[in-house]
Amino acid sequence: MSSHNLHFKTLLEVGRMIHGGDMTAAAVTDRMLDRIAAVDPQFQSYVRVCADRARDQAQMADADMAKGIFKGPLHGVPIAVKDLCYTTYAPTGAGTIIHADFMPAYNATVVDRLEAAGAVILGKLTMTEGAYTSHHPQIPTPPNPWNPDYWVGSSSTGSGVATSAGLCFASLGSDTGGSIRFPCATCGLTGIKPTWGRVSRHGVFALAESLDHIGPMARSAADCAVMLQAIAGWDAQDPTTLDTPVPDYADALGKPVRGMRIGIDRSYCLDGVDPDVASALEQAVAVFEAQGARIVEVALPPHEELVATWIMMCAIETAVAHKDTYPRRAGEYGPDLAQLIDEGRVATGMDAARGHHLRLAFTGALSTMFNGVDCMLCPTMPMPTPSLVDMAQFGEEPDVLNAILRYTAPFDFSGSPTVTLPNGVDRAGMPLSMQIVGPRLGEATLIRAADAYQRATDWHTRAPPMS
């Protein structure tokens, strides 16, 4: 396999090159570190590059493979992690100034599991402050590799930019209201938000613990499948993890979707949605129909009132997460995160109970809906990737965040698994995106559907217009 444009190859392609002897892990890692040094000053997707350690890991991977020790598809492949994952070998700042020099005493479970699978960790990736909506004023926002005049999403911004720009072959992100899905949508990537509890949050800086999900971001559903395989499963250090067997997600790859029941609520998916987004989703429906899937009309349970509570419910939990430093060190916080915490601190028990009851009702009704379908389709956002100018204007409108959360927040509340994947380009040449949503622990079905779609289309193979 040719190493031309190595940086834009999929994780699995690079893994096959390494495992087949076409390139060593050390050579691939050196190529990526050289590219980071040359390109990332423009993107600032890494808050910290762990070059020496990455080289040591790559050399160890090569030595293991020379002895016939093979740890799986991630072995020797360079990836990166969002800077809310604890690491003993580099500070974990979580996008804040207040924790910029924090050196954890242990690694996040997800980091340990990736390293146990043989992955090479290139470094820690930039993110919004505390994993909320915006970057701390002292931390630059990474520009979108597809067009720097367009939004890059939040909060896994460095994960989206680094993976899209060919500065790692996959990354970890987190999602509380859409923070895996938004950067995947804006950067042309595929991402999995797993079932809540499928992946350990031990050693991961919290935004809102009952909403936080950790998952992979990569170029394809197949890449995400092997990443999820490495990090999923029960963890004694996280009592909220699910003590259920982890299936072989790779076994879902290459399987047909004939007979699969795919739900769509056309009112939810198409009403008030930009024509480019709607057209791309309808074309995706046609792709699945052509492969023999059954398209089933469904009705998503009432969700508008629930989405409207997301800010308040997130605020309450964020105030708890920051109780040791806020308001005592409020002057070191950026304005948006500080405002969120302030809202959480004044919310009442009745506010929290109301949001909790809405969440329980939606989650139960959604579970019933999934009795009739294997998965459902919906957009990731109601509009194409907005420009920075539009986002600045949107910021003055109180309902805009709720509009953007329309397709993401419901499934954080329910803890449902989703796969986000590109399904077109808009009139400005920016990626379009959709979600495949499934029932609790339905990741294998979602991977099967997403992989089938990606075998029939080429949207996920497109890279941003850069060398």
Side-chain angles (χ1 to χ4, degrees), residues 374-399:
D374 299 302
C375 59
M376 67 169 284
L377 296 181
C378 68
T380 309
M381 300 189 297
M383 76 288 282
T385 302
S387 70
L388 296 179
V389 171
D390 286 341
M391 284 302 289
Q393 294 172 347
F394 290 162
E396 300 173 5
E397 300 176 18
D399 295 332

Side-chain angles (χ1 to χ4, degrees), residues 83-122:
D83 193 37
L84 46 57
C85 299
Y86 285 18
T87 49
T88 58
Y89 49 84
T92 300
T96 70
I97 296 302
I98 215 165
H99 298 295
D101 298 320
F102 170 57
M103 287 296 299
Y106 55 89
N107 288 335
T109 296
V110 287
V111 172
D112 279 342
R113 288 181 175 177
L114 287 171
E115 294 191 343
V120 173
I121 308 293
L122 293 169

Side-chain angles (χ1 to χ4, degrees), residues 49 57 70 90 97 113 127 173 186 189 206 213 218 267 276 287 292 317 340 349 368 391 399 404 414:
V49 179
Q57 287 182 309
F70 178 59
I97 296 302
R113 288 181 175 177
M127 56 181 284
T186 64
L189 299 174
H213 303 67
S267 174
D276 283 356
V287 169
E317 295 196 37
L340 182 73
T368 300
M391 284 302 289
D399 295 332
I404 292 176
S414 66

Side-chain angles (χ1 to χ4, degrees), residues 135 141-145 150-154 156-158 160-161 182-184 186-187 385-386 388:
H135 290 78
T141 301
N144 192 315
Y150 283 76
W151 190 48
V152 75
S154 64
S156 307
T157 52
V161 171
F182 293 143
C184 282
T186 64
C187 294
T385 302
L388 296 179

Side-chain angles (χ1 to χ4, degrees), residues 133-346:
T133 55
S134 60
H135 290 78
H136 189 283
Q138 296 179 31
I139 297 177
T141 301
N144 192 315
W146 288 81
N147 188 324
D149 295 329
Y150 283 76
W151 190 48
V152 75
S154 64
S155 67
S156 307
T157 52
S159 300
V161 171
T163 309
S164 181
L167 301 171
C168 60
F169 294 108
S171 58
L172 284 187
S174 69
D175 194 305
T176 307
S179 295
I180 288 173
R181 291 165 287 173
F182 293 143
C184 282
T186 64
C187 294
L189 299 174
T190 302
I192 295 179
K193 182 190 79 66
T195 301
W196 192 83
R198 176 83 282 186
V199 174
S200 173
R201 293 176 294 106
H202 175 64
V204 175
F205 196 100
L207 174 59
E209 290 205 44
S210 78
L211 296 167
D212 293 346
H213 303 67
I214 310 302
M217 300 167 64
R219 293 198 173 278
S220 70
D223 287 357
C224 287
V226 298
M227 284 277 285
L228 182 60
Q229 192 75 52
I231 62 175
W234 179 77
D235 176 17
Q237 300 298 319
D238 178 358
T240 68
T241 49
L242 302 173
D243 190 8
T244 56
V246 178
D248 181 357
Y249 294 122
D251 187 57
L253 301 174
K255 289 190 172 180
V257 293
R258 180 167 299 279
M260 182 180 287
R261 301 166 302 164
I262 300 179
I264 184 166
D265 179 339
R266 283 191 161 84
S267 174
Y268 174 59
C269 292
L270 303 176
D271 289 356
V273 170
D274 182 274
D276 283 356
V277 174
S279 175
L281 189 69
E282 292 281 26
Q283 290 174 45
V285 169
V287 169
F288 282 116
E289 283 185 311
Q291 296 184 77
R294 291 174 50 204
I295 306 302
V296 180
E297 298 287 340
V298 297
L300 189 75
H303 61 281
E304 294 87 352
E305 192 176 2
L306 178 67
V307 171
T309 71
W310 183 87
I311 295 174
M312 177 194 68
M313 295 296 281
C314 181
I316 292 169
E317 295 196 37
T318 304
V320 173
H322 290 262
K323 67 183 186 302
D324 292 337
T325 52
Y326 195 97
R328 181 170 57 89
R329 299 174 64 181
E332 297 170 72
Y333 280 73
D336 291 341
L337 184 57
Q339 180 180 346
L340 182 73
I341 296 172
D342 285 336
E343 291 179 18
R345 289 172 61 84
V346 300

